[in-house]
Amino acid sequence: MTVMNKIEGAGFAPASRISAIGVSEILAIGARAQAMKREGKPVIILGAGEPDFDTPDHVKQAASDAMQRGETKYTALDGTPALKAAIRDKFLRENDLSYELDEITVATGAKQVLFNAMMATLNPGDEVIIPTPYWTSYSDIVEIAEGRPVLIACDAEAGFRLTAEQLEQAITPRTRWVMLNSPSNPSGAAYGAEHYRPLLDVLLRHPHVWLLVDDMYEHIVYDGFDFVTPAALEPRLKDRTLTVNGVSKAYAMTGWRIGYAGGPKALIKAMAVVQSQSTSCPSSVSQAAAVAALSGPQGFIAERRDSFKARRDLVVAALNGIDGIDCRVPEGAFYTFASCAGMIGRTTPSGARIASDRDFTNYLLNEALVAVVPGSAFGLSPYFRISYATSQAELQEALSRITDACARLTA
């Protein structure tokens, strides 16, 4: 979490529910880097969680066709029947999950799905278990909904994965949800069936605890990793599991803002109440595009995944070649989450001491002109995240700069 900057204005005070929450540090770092670029500095930004590929042509054509047909009006509150049917078919085809249309919700991005779920279910003080490192919005959304994030540190030695022992110890009578993300933003770590099984056995013993699983990066996995989602692995938990996904990453549709989920009918209905008083329906045109994405050709996904894998291998090898940095090989997504523990205590050419991962990433931005994100933004230090969703040429230049900048640090 970040602390909100002071808000100017006579007599204004923010609501207590957001008093300790600020704009994402990832966005703040990106804004600072963009400002430096406008000043003429050749900054390379490796902070954004956004594919550099374009939205497929057939998806864009579907949006154009929808506009030409006049499909520019309000739609059903939480998704058109056509898109819900495409999502139902996707879940069955790819995940062996069967949902009725009233067990599916569509929102303006997966982030809104998460927000709706927390707002619809949390009472003040309810606890949500979140393994760290975690996507920064998880804990902030829980806090806005007046819940209490319970952050459980999962370091590289544990594969950045929650263990059954940690989960068992964290559950209390106030626990409402466990949030799991596989493959993970920011670590790229993924849970296979053998990792999920002990966790699901714990949840079976605690029927008051629900599971929210974020599968956004399911198609971006490497080295033959076998993706699985918990509700398919353990059907006895399906009636208290919300399976969240979207079109942003696999289909390079971040700006189209379409996320979706499958879950129990009562939960989906409650989430619709929240959405009805915020955005109402998602964009009609974006929904038409998402139908084409989920129902159309899928072959390009593997091609793009292979490209991401080559970039992953490039980044991991370069980082592990730097004294003081240790980078685990991620199973999926398009991020590395490397330890910079060996950099702590070193001194910059200007005489400043590196005391934290934030100091280290600030040094890289100021001296190497490379923007990355400190692990503290994701709840685990001392690490830093690189997004390799950019060209190999730009990655090679960035890694060369990082290597040189690290070599200039002295013990």
Side-chain angles (χ1 to χ4, degrees), residues 118-119 121-127 142-148 174 176:
M118 296 301 106
M119 290 295 290
T121 60
L122 294 182
N123 291 312
D126 282 351
E127 296 172 352
V142 169
E143 291 199 9
I144 288 174
E146 300 186 85
R148 187 174 81 84
R174 295 303 303 269
R176 188 69 189 269

Side-chain angles (χ1 to χ4, degrees), residues 79-278:
T80 63
L83 180 51
K84 286 193 172 188
I87 293 166
R88 175 197 61 198
D89 295 346
K90 180 267 181 229
F91 274 132
L92 188 60
R93 179 182 69 245
E94 297 182 350
N95 306 117
D96 197 26
L97 287 174
S98 178
Y99 290 110
E100 300 298 327
L101 296 192
D102 59 4
E103 296 177 312
I104 293 170
T105 185
V106 182
T108 306
K111 183 181 288 189
Q112 188 182 23
V113 175
L114 301 175
F115 184 86
N116 290 347
M118 296 301 106
M119 290 295 290
T121 60
L122 294 182
N123 291 312
D126 282 351
E127 296 172 352
V128 179
I129 295 171
I130 304 173
T132 72
Y134 62 99
W135 183 43
T136 55
S137 291
Y138 289 163
S139 65
D140 288 348
I141 288 172
V142 169
E143 291 199 9
I144 288 174
E146 300 186 85
R148 187 174 81 84
V150 178
L151 305 182
I152 308 297
C154 305
D155 60 18
E157 287 68 32
F160 297 121
R161 301 184 188 96
L162 181 70
T163 67
E165 292 75 17
Q166 287 176 308
L167 177 58
E168 186 74 62
Q169 292 173 9
I171 291 174
T172 75
R174 295 303 303 269
T175 305
R176 188 69 189 269
W177 289 94
V178 176
M179 284 188 177
L180 297 176
N181 175 207
S182 174
S184 161
N185 175 8
S187 70
Y191 290 79
E194 70 276 20
H195 307 112
Y196 272 137
R197 184 69 261 170
L199 300 175
L200 303 183
D201 288 341
V202 171
L203 292 177
L204 286 171
R205 296 195 295 272
H206 297 276
H208 69 290
V209 181
W210 286 50
L211 173 63
L212 186 152
V213 58
D214 180 348
D215 289 348
M216 182 61 72
Y217 296 90
E218 71 165 303
H219 289 298
I220 308 175
V221 292
Y222 312 116
D223 305 322
F225 182 86
D226 188 13
F227 177 85
V228 64
T229 198
L233 186 62
E234 180 46 83
R236 288 176 292 176
L237 289 175
K238 184 170 178 280
D239 63 356
R240 50 185 167 113
T241 298
L242 184 68
T243 303
V244 181
N245 212 315
V247 297
S248 293
K249 312 302 180 179
Y251 302 96
M253 294 176 66
T254 51
W256 297 81
R257 308 310 301 132
I258 293 292
Y260 61 84
K265 179 179 177 180
L267 172 61
I268 298 300
K269 185 177 180 180
M271 291 167 61
V273 172
V274 177
Q275 186 160 306
S276 73
Q277 302 303 333
S278 56

